[in-house]
Amino acid sequence: MNLPSKYSFIELNTELEKILNIIQDTNDNLCVLGAAGVGKSLTIQLLSDREFYNHNTIVCCPTGISAVNASTDNIKAQTIHSLFRLPPMSVIPVDHLKTHNDLEDLFVNLHTLIIDEISMVNSDLLTKIVYLLNQYRGGEPTRIIVFGDPSQLAPVVSTVEEQNYLDDIYGSRFFFHSEVFTSMRVVHLNKIYRQSDSGFKEILNRFRMDRATDKDYKVINGRVMDISEFGNNALYVALTNNTVNLINDRELQKNPNPFKVYHGEVSNFHPLPVPKDLYLKLDAQVMITANNKSVGYYNGLLGRIHKFNKDTIDVATEYGVFSIEPYKWSKYGHEYDKGSGEIKAYEIGYYKQFPIKVAYALTSHKTQGLTLDKMYLDLERGTFASGQLYTSLSRVRSLEGLGLARSIHKRDSKISSVIKKFYKKIEKTEKSVRST
């Protein structure tokens, strides 16, 4: 397969090439599964580029943060609820949903809907998406391609009523219990790029599938140490906001330098990726929260405030000192342009601020999608959500970059029994196909 020259940096392994051929040569609905760091986001980038995939596409995500993280120069991601104008998660029956006349042109001319972070989309929401598409299109199918990893963060269900509703109607809250999943071809990306050490990759994958051995626990728990032994520029990752806020406040208070305050500009944009009133100090540990490939920094890079300039802030990292300029995050809508016959994104909100935040500590939930060089993980009193342990461990590039506040116990590795059954069913199906 020949990719456009601007993607010459992509390593076309067998699995990725197979998936890209399916995308280009068929109209199949796809579920692209893969562990953290296998290139799912890069595949979405290709799908969003008309030079590679010449169709009207929209990328949507379950949360505002995931939409911000998914957006790049050529990906203009929108939240699912915003795109379809859905009310918050509720027990509203699917056939009670309303369509909107002004959205008809958009969805009639949509060829492929791409859903990122599908693990956080519940079965009812996916069903409602397909129902509304069918209503707008008079039953003509829309191609749906979803990306994600069920072993990572699960759908959030706020009330017992909602959980009971999902269990009664679908059998579980997970997306693969929506009827539309039965029409999807399941494919896998297995080559991990985030970590380079094969032994560490294998350990992480066993934790991902809840198949970690006693030896795996011994290797990981060999990284238990006091944070003072771990060195500088490590991100402290905890499970609760209380712990994270306490650490960030304490470390800032220890810093004797005066505060410098930067005020952001916001219009119809929420949640904010960094505080509107950004309080910083010289030598404070911070995280850069935007990508700039031409300069060399990326979302998740840690460093320390080196200097406050007139229009920039210098951040010293292990890769050098970067002069960070104010950044504009955009919130997008989509519309059909009759003149060009294309679906185009347009800005419906924005936020301007320096892409920097104080980052001595961060919750595990907010690390999803990040790549970290050094992480000190504190599981506190124990994990409380399916996939939480694996999501945390898989952020870090290497075993040497991992520090643990306490030993990891088997009870910390929580993977829903529903997800385990899902993977077993997928494996059984694939074995059956290979044997025929």
Side-chain angles (χ1 to χ4, degrees):
M1 168 174 287
N2 294 319
L3 297 178
S5 58
K6 58 187 168 185
Y7 298 109
S8 59
F9 63 92
I10 294 179
E11 179 186 337
L12 266 181
N13 60 70
T14 304
E15 295 160 352
L16 178 57
E17 187 164 8
K18 176 185 175 183
I19 290 170
L20 295 180
N21 280 326
I22 293 171
I23 287 171
Q24 286 196 324
D25 299 340
T26 78
N27 202 39
D28 295 348
N29 291 334
L30 291 179
C31 175
V32 183
L33 300 178
V38 295
K40 296 186 292 292
S41 297
L42 195 57
T43 309
I44 294 174
Q45 190 172 332
L46 282 168
L47 266 170
S48 303
D49 191 331
R50 279 187 170 271
E51 194 175 344
F52 173 78
Y53 187 70
N54 191 24
H55 296 289
N56 281 330
T57 64
I58 295 176
V59 177
C60 59
C61 303
T63 67
I65 290 296
S66 58
V68 168
N69 289 339
S71 294
T72 63
D73 289 342
N74 69 306
I75 300 175
K76 313 298 184 187
Q78 187 173 357
T79 65
I80 294 169
H81 284 78
S82 168
L83 176 61
F84 289 94
R85 298 183 192 166
L86 288 168
M89 169 60 194
S90 65
V91 294
I92 298 173
V94 171
D95 57 4
H96 283 47
L97 293 174
K98 296 178 180 178
T99 56
H100 301 270
N101 292 337
D102 60 319
L103 292 179
E104 186 171 338
D105 276 353
L106 174 68
F107 290 120
V108 165
N109 290 283
L110 174 65
H111 181 278
T112 303
L113 181 70
I114 301 161
I115 306 176
D116 195 15
E117 301 290 7
I118 190 64
S119 72
M120 299 174 70
V121 176
N122 67 55
S123 47
D124 185 62
L125 182 55
L126 184 55
T127 300
K128 286 173 176 172
I129 289 169
V130 175
Y131 172 83
L132 286 171
L133 286 172
N134 285 334
Q135 292 298 302
Y136 282 115
R137 296 170 61 87
E140 182 184 346
T142 306
R143 188 180 198 184
I144 298 176
I145 303 180
V146 304
F147 291 80
D149 181 8
S151 298
Q152 296 192 53
L153 296 180
V156 175
V157 178
S158 302
T159 67
V160 173
E161 182 187 21
E162 289 172 1
Q163 184 62 65
N164 291 338
Y165 173 78
L166 293 170
D167 289 343
D168 291 345
I169 301 298
Y170 302 99
S172 87
R173 58 181 164 158
F174 295 101
F175 74 93
F176 46 78
H177 277 162
S178 171
E179 186 177 350
V180 67
F181 181 75
T182 61
S183 72
M184 290 185 174
R185 184 172 176 178
V186 179
V187 292
H188 299 267
L189 286 169
N190 292 316
K191 184 175 176 58
I192 297 172
Y193 296 95
R194 179 173 292 157
Q195 293 87 18
S196 57
D197 178 76
S198 59
F200 187 43
K201 289 180 187 180
E202 290 169 4
I203 290 172
L204 288 177
N205 198 50
R206 285 191 287 272
F207 271 103
R208 173 179 176 245
M209 307 300 288
D210 197 29
R211 297 171 184 169
T213 64
D214 290 342
K215 184 178 178 181
D216 294 333
Y217 279 94
K218 185 176 180 180
V219 170
I220 292 292
N221 287 332
R223 302 303 300 168
V224 175
M225 63 188 76
D226 189 88
I227 193 168
S228 61
E229 303 173 50
F230 196 50
N232 296 325
N233 294 331
L235 181 67
Y236 194 111
V237 175
L239 302 186
T240 63
N241 284 315
N242 285 342
T243 299
V244 165
N245 293 337
L246 183 68
I247 292 170
N248 282 330
D249 291 344
R250 182 187 68 207
E251 293 300 318
L252 267 185
Q253 289 173 8
K254 285 163 58 176
N255 185 325
N257 294 306
F259 278 111
K260 177 83 170 176
V261 185
Y262 295 88
H263 302 289
E265 179 184 337
V266 63
S267 174
N268 189 33
F269 194 102
H270 183 79
L272 302 182
V274 298
K276 185 180 179 186
D277 298 317
L278 184 60
Y279 287 80
L280 301 173
K281 289 184 177 183
L282 281 175
D283 201 40
Q285 181 168 297
V286 295
M287 176 182 286
I288 298 173
T289 59
N291 296 310
N292 190 323
K293 290 183 179 179
S294 62
V295 175
Y297 60 79
Y298 58 87
N299 183 15
L301 180 61
L302 290 176
R304 291 187 176 271
I305 299 293
H306 181 67
K307 185 180 179 183
F308 294 117
N309 304 307
K310 181 181 178 182
D311 299 312
T312 62
I313 299 173
D314 288 352
V315 176
T317 75
E318 62 177 301
Y319 304 109
V321 177
F322 296 106
S323 290
I324 310 298
E325 299 178 342
Y327 186 83
K328 181 182 178 183
W329 291 269
S330 294
K331 178 179 178 180
Y332 295 104
H334 290 82
E335 62 185 0
Y336 176 66
D337 180 62
K338 292 182 179 179
S340 64
E342 296 182 4
I343 288 177
K344 296 184 177 180
Y346 63 97
E347 187 180 81
I348 59 175
Y350 68 88
Y351 178 48
K352 292 181 180 178
Q353 180 59 285
F354 282 96
I356 296 170
K357 64 181 176 183
V358 173
Y360 295 96
L362 202 64
T363 60
S364 170
H365 184 82
K366 291 184 179 178
T367 64
Q368 183 153 15
L370 299 182
T371 298
L372 303 173
D373 293 308
K374 292 188 73 175
M375 176 183 74
Y376 189 76
L377 179 61
D378 182 359
L379 295 179
E380 303 183 59
R381 296 181 179 180
T383 59
F384 49 83
S386 178
Q388 200 169 33
L389 174 62
Y390 169 71
T391 299
S392 302
L393 289 175
S394 60
R395 299 306 99 195
V396 69
R397 291 184 190 273
S398 66
L399 184 62
E400 293 71 29
L402 174 67
L404 295 176
R406 67 157 174 87
S407 293
I408 293 175
H409 308 296
K410 290 187 178 181
R411 64 177 179 269
D412 293 315
S413 185
K414 291 182 174 68
I415 302 294
S416 167
S417 60
V418 178
I419 291 174
K420 291 180 188 178
K421 289 178 183 177
F422 166 74
Y423 276 121
K424 285 181 180 178
K425 184 177 180 181
I426 293 295
E427 289 171 355
K428 184 177 179 180
T429 301
E430 290 176 344
K431 284 180 182 178
S432 176
V433 170
R434 286 195 295 268
S435 65
T436 57

